[in-house]
């Protein structure tokens, strides 16, 4: 049996089925359009030999060899047999449609009439006449749904400006965005649902989206469809139709469709689908006003429809046999779907697909469940594929092919090279890809954390921690403020919050680049290039950039992991980022390595970086076997065409991240600064102390010190320095210099002499290892807590870091003693 994995670049084949045992992977593949009978052309293989890039249904997809090996291709005679059978099912359906026409209208005609009604109304310029019984003050809620990369963010910004509220959906880390529009004398809320390909039960984003539409019942769903990738995008559309909310299609990227020389007949598309289609270009803003007006018409007509008892089911989607089976299921479950608050038609199809969430929600009595199961089994046995999810998906794609063949004329044939392909020939070229990639990363890294970023950060630092703190202190002392208050503000809050603000320029710059990479389409290429090496350690190609940014600062790095749509990979990446030694740890290395290892200083620092990476890799391997066991996520990634990002979108993106960082990290950091300052300046009886050794922090340090004895630095000074390092790693340096009474600009000799009683070179190295691996600063921890979405995961991460730091330092110190290095 031939598989997709055996095809060479340039070769084509016809899919029989995906033989993957993993349901998730299989479903994802069919959702992306790899259904029986689909023609696939292999474009190229990534520079390191895996994954591969394929072309199907007019778009590019990247796929791992392991998955491609499991996709079986049809032998020519099989292909003919299968297609014949499906054609027969289709013919039966059409015969039935003709039959029905004698009596009631077929569903799609009904739908088409409704659409015509909307179109008419729109033409007449009917604006502010809200239908009877529709409360004008009722706040309208619109939901924006679409595939990743279809231009959702751009449309959202075009419709709302920056007036948005961003948060997470309760309980999950899927981003939630809401914006307000004021149009046609009406206040509307626009909810941006996560970018998704399907409504399967396997991904959190998809479940969030379908639950939202079912439970929150938005007044209308705006389905944004990428006109340059019509077939794949309509796959989501036909599933949304089944949720039976008033719907409108925003057919985006029309400028690009035109540029390519493709033609889409919007009226035809509207009538076929039974949904009004509004051509727009979110980027230029063309058609956006009409879209809002149309949405209003759609809502109105939907209300009239309810009045008239005119109900349309999206019944036209499936072949005759599937259709019959779904009606038989309907007969068995009766009105239980409605009782469970689910759209009936949808619930039946979901049962047929074996959707466990719907199955649980319906909670059928045993007898009915058995009847349902036997119908489902019968359906599975009706074809050689034996897999209902694939069969249903196939049926949907067949419907879509029929619709697109009527409404779409493509200029380029399958496998012909577009402009994007020509760029890709260079950027993902076998020999050029890696050098170009590394060069781009180098430029981004140096600009973010080196030159520009460091310069701006220093500026903020001087401004806040220098000028502002001094000015404040002077002002407060002159005005006779109490000492403790001056201390709290000038030594606690200002440096605490100010220390965090110094990250701002770096975050802004990094997000500028990330947004650029993402919007231009290059981000997916980096994942394409880097997937193979990273997979060895249980990560995916998309982890590369966040990990690399970890060497600069964990705060923007963990936020950067947002670009990973796979939740598990994202969590794991965030948990590994802190092991990439951040730039704030360099002063600590510099101080201690300089003092204790005059000659081998560079080597010591280098070894620390390498050790961090090594521990990161080991942790990754361990996480894969424990925390993130099983459920391998399919690496099926779309390679969108290259596009030029718009400045407006990029800037909004940067602003959004910066704002979040200020809001969230700012409040927590503020509170923690106050607490830490208090601990450092008061003793157990709440009296202010002069000497930190007597403060609560000092006492805690003294209490913790014996724990560090096996690691070679069991003193209160080291313990307190580590605690202070939780605020910022640089604080380790300032604490040590304070406790041991040396100036950081003094010579290495002086510094070593002042610490000689406490540290030997071996214990100093062990201390550095601990600093390298233990918990990052609180700005990072609070950011990660936000990105991980739960305290539980944050706790696991922190425990793991402490454990790793302790064990590795222990091994280093005790091992060193054994080797006689003490
Ligand atoms: P999302 O992933 O769905 O949020 O998509 P984005 O809004 O980030 O858009 C993805 C890319 O498509 C970006 O590079 C946009 O600039 C681009 N884009 C969005 N709308 C249009 C459009 O109407 N025409 C063109 N040519 N590009 C667009
Ligand atoms: Mg987006």
């Amino acid at each position: 049996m031939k598989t997709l994995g055996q095809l060479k670049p340039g070769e084509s084949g016809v899919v029989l089925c995906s033989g993957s045992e993993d349901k998730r992977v299989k479903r994802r593949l069919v959702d992306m359009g790899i259904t029986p009978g689909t023609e696939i052309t292999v474009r190229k293989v990534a520079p390191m030999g895996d994954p591969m890039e394929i072309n199907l249904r007019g778009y590019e997809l990247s796929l791992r060899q392991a998955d491609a090996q499991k996709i079986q291709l049809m032998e020519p005679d099989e292909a003919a047999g299968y297609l014949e059978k499906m054609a027969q099912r289709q013919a039966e359906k059409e015969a039935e449609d003709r039959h029905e026409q004698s009596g009631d209208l077929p569903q799609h005609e009904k739908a088409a009439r409704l659409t015509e009604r909307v179109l008419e109304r729109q033409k007449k310029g009917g604006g502010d006449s809200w239908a009877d019984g529709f409360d004008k003050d009722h706040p309208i809620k619109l939901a924006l749904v679409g595939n990743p990369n279809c231009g959702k963010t751009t449309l959202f910004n075009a419709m709302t400006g920056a007036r948005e509220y961003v948060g997470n959906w309760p309980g999950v880390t899927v981003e939630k965005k809401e914006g307000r529009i004021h149009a046609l004398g009406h206040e509307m809320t626009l909810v941006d649902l996560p970018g998704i390909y399907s409504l399967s039960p396997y991904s959190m984003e998809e479940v969030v989206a379908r639950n939202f539409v079912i439970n929150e019942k938005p007044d209308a769903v705006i389905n944004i469809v990428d006109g340059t990738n019509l077939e794949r995008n309509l796959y989501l559309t036909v599933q949304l139709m089944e949720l039976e909310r008033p719907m409108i299609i925003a057919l985006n990227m029309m400028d690009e469709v035109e540029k390519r020389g493709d033609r889409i007949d919007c009226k035809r598309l509207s009538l076929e689908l039974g949904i009004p289609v509004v051509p727009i270009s979110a980027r230029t803003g063309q058609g956006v006003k009409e879209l809002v007006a149309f949405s209003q018409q759609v809502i109105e007509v939907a209300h009239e429809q309810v009045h008239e008892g005119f109900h349309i089911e999206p019944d036209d989607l499936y072949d005759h046999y599937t259709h019959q089976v779904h009606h038989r299921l309907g007969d068995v479950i009766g009105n239980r779907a409605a009782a469970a608050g689910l759209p009936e038609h949808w619930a039946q199809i979901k049962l047929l697909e074996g959707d466990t969430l719907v199955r649980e929600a319906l909670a059928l009595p045993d007898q009915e469940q058995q009847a349902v199961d036997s119908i489902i089994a019968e359906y599975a046995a009706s074809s050689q594929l034996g897999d209902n999810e694939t069969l249903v998906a196939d049926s949907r794609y067949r419907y879509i092919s029929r619709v697109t063949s009527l409404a779409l004329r493509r200029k380029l044939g399958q496998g012909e090279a577009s402009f994007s392909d020509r760029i890709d020939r260079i950027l993902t070229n076998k020999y050029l890809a890696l050098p170009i990639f590394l060069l781009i990363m180098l430029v981004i890294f140096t600009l973010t954390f080196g030159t520009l970023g460091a310069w701006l950060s220093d500026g903020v630092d001087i401004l806040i921690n220098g000028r502002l703190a001094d000015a404040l202190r002077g002002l407060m002392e002159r005005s006779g403020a109490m000492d403790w208050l001056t201390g709290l503000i000038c030594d606690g809050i200002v440096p605490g919050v100010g220390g965090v603000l110094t990250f701002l320029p770096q975050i802004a710059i990094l997000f500028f680049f990330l947004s650029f990479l993402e919007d231009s389409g290059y981000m997916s290429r980096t994942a394409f290039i880097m997937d193979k090496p990273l997979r060895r350690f249980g990560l995916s190609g998309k982890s590369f950039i966040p990990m690399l940014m970890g060497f600069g600062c964990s705060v923007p790095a963990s936020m950067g992991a947002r670009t990973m749509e796979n939740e598990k990979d994202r969590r794991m990446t965030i948990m590994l980022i802190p092991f990439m030694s951040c730039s704030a740890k360099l002063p600590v290395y510099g101080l201690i390595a300089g003092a204790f290892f005059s000659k081998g200083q560079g080597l010591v620092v280098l070894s620390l970086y390498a050790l961090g990476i090594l521990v990161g890799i080991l942790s990754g391997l361990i996480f894969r076997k424990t925390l993130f066991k099983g459920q391998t996520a399919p690496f099926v990634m779309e390679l969108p065409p290259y596009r030029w990002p718009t400045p407006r979108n990029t800037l909004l993106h940067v602003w959004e991240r910066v704002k979040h960082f200020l809001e969230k990290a700012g409040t927590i950091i503020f509170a923690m600064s106050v607490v830490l300052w208090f601990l450092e300046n008061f003793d157990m009886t709440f009296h202010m102390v002069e000497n930190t050794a007597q403060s609560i922090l000092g006492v805690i340090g003294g209490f913790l010190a014996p724990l560090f004895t096996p690691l070679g630095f069991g003193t209160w000074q080291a313990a307190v320095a580590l605690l202070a390092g939780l605020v910022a790693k640089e604080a380790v340096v300032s604490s040590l210099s304070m406790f041991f009474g040396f100036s950081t600009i003094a010579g290495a000799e002086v510094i070593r002499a002042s610490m000689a009683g406490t540290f030997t070179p071996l214990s100093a190295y062990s201390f550095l290892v601990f600093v390298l691996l233990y918990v990052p600063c609180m700005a990072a921890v609070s950011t990660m807590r936000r990105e991980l979405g739960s305290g539980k995961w944050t706790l696991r991460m922190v425990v793991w870091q402490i454990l790793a730091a302790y064990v590795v330092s222990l091994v280093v110190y005790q091992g060193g003693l054994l080797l006689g290095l003490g």
Side-chain angles (χ1 to χ4, degrees), residues 149 151-154 177 192 518-519:
N149 265 310
K152 235 155 44 68
T153 306
T154 315
K177 251 187 178 179
D192 188 18
E518 174 101 40
D519 284 355

Side-chain angles (χ1 to χ4, degrees), residues 230-231 234 269 399-409:
L230 198 56
E231 254 180 89
L234 286 178
L269 195 59
Y399 168 77
I400 292 164
S401 300
R402 203 150 34 98
V403 171
T404 48
S405 71
L406 293 170
L408 169 71
R409 289 275 163 276

Side-chain angles (χ1 to χ4, degrees), residues 410-726:
R410 268 207 197 98
K411 193 170 166 204
L412 288 180
Q414 163 111 357
E416 274 180 71
S418 63
F419 176 62
S420 222
D421 296 328
R422 287 198 289 274
I423 300 181
D424 244 354
R425 272 187 206 153
I426 301 168
L427 292 185
T428 58
N429 178 281
K430 197 166 177 189
Y431 304 105
L432 293 178
L434 266 176
I436 294 177
F437 170 69
L438 292 177
L439 190 71
I440 293 176
M441 291 304 118
L442 188 74
V443 168
I444 294 180
F445 193 86
T446 38
L447 278 180
T448 309
F449 299 110
T451 54
L452 185 61
W455 185 70
L456 287 174
S457 279
D458 289 349
V460 173
D461 196 31
I462 291 169
L463 219 59
I464 294 179
N465 302 333
R467 298 267 163 77
L468 182 69
D470 286 348
L472 258 178
R473 192 187 302 278
L475 191 72
M476 293 187 78
E477 274 166 7
R478 257 177 285 127
S479 65
M482 284 155 288
D483 274 354
W484 68 265
L485 190 63
T486 312
L488 173 63
I489 293 179
C490 299
D491 300 326
I493 296 170
V494 171
V497 175
V500 172
L501 288 183
T502 56
F503 291 131
L504 259 193
Q506 296 182 343
I507 290 182
I509 298 170
L510 178 62
F511 274 97
F512 173 81
F513 286 119
L514 284 186
S515 173
F516 191 92
L517 291 185
E518 174 101 40
D519 284 355
S520 64
Y522 188 66
M523 188 73 100
S524 336
R525 271 71 181 188
T526 68
F528 181 69
I529 297 168
M530 292 308 293
D531 187 57
K532 190 174 178 188
L534 282 169
R535 191 146 30 107
R536 298 240 166 92
F537 316 122
L539 288 163
S540 91
K542 290 214 162 185
S543 325
F544 187 83
I545 291 180
M547 298 282 247
L548 179 71
M549 295 307 148
F551 288 112
C553 170
S554 307
V555 173
S558 54
M559 285 160 78
R562 286 237 155 190
T563 53
M564 304 173 64
E565 76 276 20
N566 183 288
E567 188 65 13
K568 223 176 48 167
D569 286 359
R570 195 168 69 85
R571 282 219 166 104
M572 186 152 141
T573 305
I574 292 174
M575 290 174 75
L576 297 181
I577 284 173
F579 292 126
M580 308 300 122
S581 179
C582 80
S583 56
K585 290 175 188 165
L586 256 176
V588 191
Y589 304 160
L591 177 85
I592 293 183
F596 289 93
F597 303 95
S598 49
K599 282 218 190 77
Q601 190 183 347
L603 208 61
V604 165
V605 175
L606 199 67
S607 76
L608 288 167
Y609 272 84
L611 186 66
I613 296 173
L614 189 72
V615 173
I617 289 174
L618 284 175
S619 305
L621 293 175
I622 294 171
F623 288 168
R624 262 294 168 232
K625 293 249 152 32
T626 53
L627 289 179
F628 301 102
K629 205 164 61 185
Q631 19 162 318
T632 47
F635 181 80
V636 186
M637 188 183 61
E638 194 183 342
L639 295 171
Y642 288 103
R643 296 193 174 101
W644 202 244
T646 58
R648 178 188 154 85
N649 253 358
T650 311
L651 292 180
L652 274 175
H653 189 81
V654 171
W655 168 236
E656 195 181 280
R657 292 296 166 223
V658 165
K659 201 172 72 182
H660 277 202
F661 177 71
L662 284 181
E663 280 168 9
K664 300 285 176 177
T667 43
I668 298 174
I669 298 302
F670 180 85
M672 286 189 64
S673 312
V674 174
V675 170
L676 269 171
W677 176 83
F678 180 81
L679 295 179
E680 207 178 341
N681 285 282
F682 283 80
D683 63 14
M684 292 295 188
T685 56
F686 300 117
H687 285 95
M688 222 169 156
V689 293
E690 282 296 311
N691 185 346
T692 313
Q694 285 144 16
S695 71
I696 302 179
L697 203 64
V699 172
I700 297 175
F703 180 73
L704 289 178
L707 279 179
F708 296 119
T709 308
L711 312 186
F713 47 89
T715 62
W716 72 266
Q717 291 96 329
V720 174
L722 288 174
L723 287 177
L726 294 178

